[in-house]
Amino acid sequence: NGKSTLMQILSLWRMYVDAAPLVIGTAQNLDIAEEVWQGAVDMAEEVPELAAELDQVFKQPGKKYFRLTSGSRYKVQAASRRGGRGLSGDLVILDELREHQNWEAWAAVTNTTMARDFAQVWAASNAGDNTSVVLSYLRKQAHFELGDPDGLNQGETFDGDIESSLGIFEWSATPGIDIHDRAGWAQANPSLGYTALGERALVAAMAAPESKFRTENLCQWVDSMSEGAFPPGVWEST
């Protein structure tokens, strides 16, 4: 639905227009972060005006970065307790935030922005489950400030002030909607009908267990993405 494309364009904007010294791209799986990075490199190389300012592209596995003639760099790091430490990031990207099951990687890489003016941290993700502690906490904070539209907090409050720079941009199907409801498909898939993503693809995706379809295609939260001992409906039928 365009999450990776958004991150690539955002990164190039910060480098070429804002002259941000350092963009740090991370994901729980380093391969995913490198794919987003490669997409940004491809965009820069395909546009003559951008390619003219490319100074160096370093593609050694695990150490990928590219640099502009201005000195601005885009560097890839693993999302870990050591990822990004010792760096000062102007833009930090965290892909698949739902995979962060503790706060170590988040704390390590987001604190690289402390000494930077105009720094931003952007995270992108599908919905998660009860193990997605970082995404769940941030989302609950944002929904609390919005009046708890989905009933996430159930009366829960947050101590102290919520950081005013926190923002959430969420495309998800209405809670409790039937998985066959195509209006819900459109709510959760903003690219539906505009790109190669069509309803036939979503029909095919329904072959997966319901919990997978809800998280991956309806962007809805579930208790667990792991499969239980009983297929859907079996327990209820007894």
Side-chain angles (χ1 to χ4, degrees), residues 70-142:
S70 65
S72 184
R73 290 184 299 151
Y74 181 161
K75 185 178 179 65
V76 177
Q77 294 281 289
S80 68
R81 63 184 301 178
R82 295 183 296 275
R85 290 193 182 275
L87 301 173
S88 292
D90 299 272
L91 172 65
V92 170
I93 295 170
L94 298 107
D95 206 356
E96 289 304 323
L97 189 64
R98 74 177 187 181
E99 300 301 330
H100 288 231
Q101 298 182 2
N102 58 59
W103 287 90
E104 290 185 349
W106 171 274
V109 72
T110 60
N111 276 293
T112 66
T113 65
M114 290 297 171
R116 294 300 214 196
D117 292 328
F118 313 115
Q120 292 183 316
V121 176
W122 282 62
S125 186
N126 282 77
D129 63 12
N130 290 338
T131 67
S132 306
V133 296
V134 177
L135 178 58
S136 175
Y137 184 79
L138 295 173
R139 182 172 179 259
K140 283 184 175 182
Q141 277 194 343

Side-chain angles (χ1 to χ4, degrees), residues 1-76:
N1 277 289
K3 294 194 301 295
S4 296
T5 303
L6 172 62
M7 296 303 173
Q8 291 157 357
I9 293 173
L10 173 66
S11 300
L12 294 176
W13 173 270
R14 292 301 308 271
M15 295 174 72
Y16 280 90
V17 180
D18 284 349
L22 182 61
V23 174
I24 303 174
T26 75
Q28 202 72 1
N29 185 329
L30 186 60
D31 290 346
I32 294 175
E34 291 182 341
E35 282 292 323
V36 176
W37 174 89
Q38 184 62 59
V41 172
D42 292 343
M43 286 183 182
E45 291 178 335
E46 290 167 4
V47 179
E49 292 86 350
L50 301 184
E53 296 184 41
L54 274 176
D55 180 45
Q56 185 179 23
V57 180
F58 192 72
K59 295 188 176 182
Q60 182 175 332
K63 298 181 179 180
K64 294 184 177 182
Y65 73 88
F66 74 90
R67 182 174 61 209
L68 306 184
T69 54
S70 65
S72 184
R73 290 184 299 151
Y74 181 161
K75 185 178 179 65
V76 177

Side-chain angles (χ1 to χ4, degrees), residues 116-193:
R116 294 300 214 196
D117 292 328
F118 313 115
Q120 292 183 316
V121 176
W122 282 62
S125 186
N126 282 77
D129 63 12
N130 290 338
T131 67
S132 306
V133 296
V134 177
L135 178 58
S136 175
Y137 184 79
L138 295 173
R139 182 172 179 259
K140 283 184 175 182
Q141 277 194 343
H143 275 241
F144 176 77
E145 285 294 287
L146 292 169
D148 203 17
D150 286 354
L152 296 179
N153 296 300
Q154 298 179 349
E156 179 183 353
T157 59
F158 289 88
D159 295 331
D161 295 330
I162 293 177
E163 173 51 53
S164 61
S165 64
L166 175 66
I168 185 168
F169 307 87
E170 180 175 331
W171 287 261
S172 57
T174 302
I177 201 168
D178 187 273
I179 63 172
H180 298 90
D181 190 328
R182 300 196 178 202
W185 298 2
Q187 291 173 335
N189 294 274
S191 294
L192 186 63

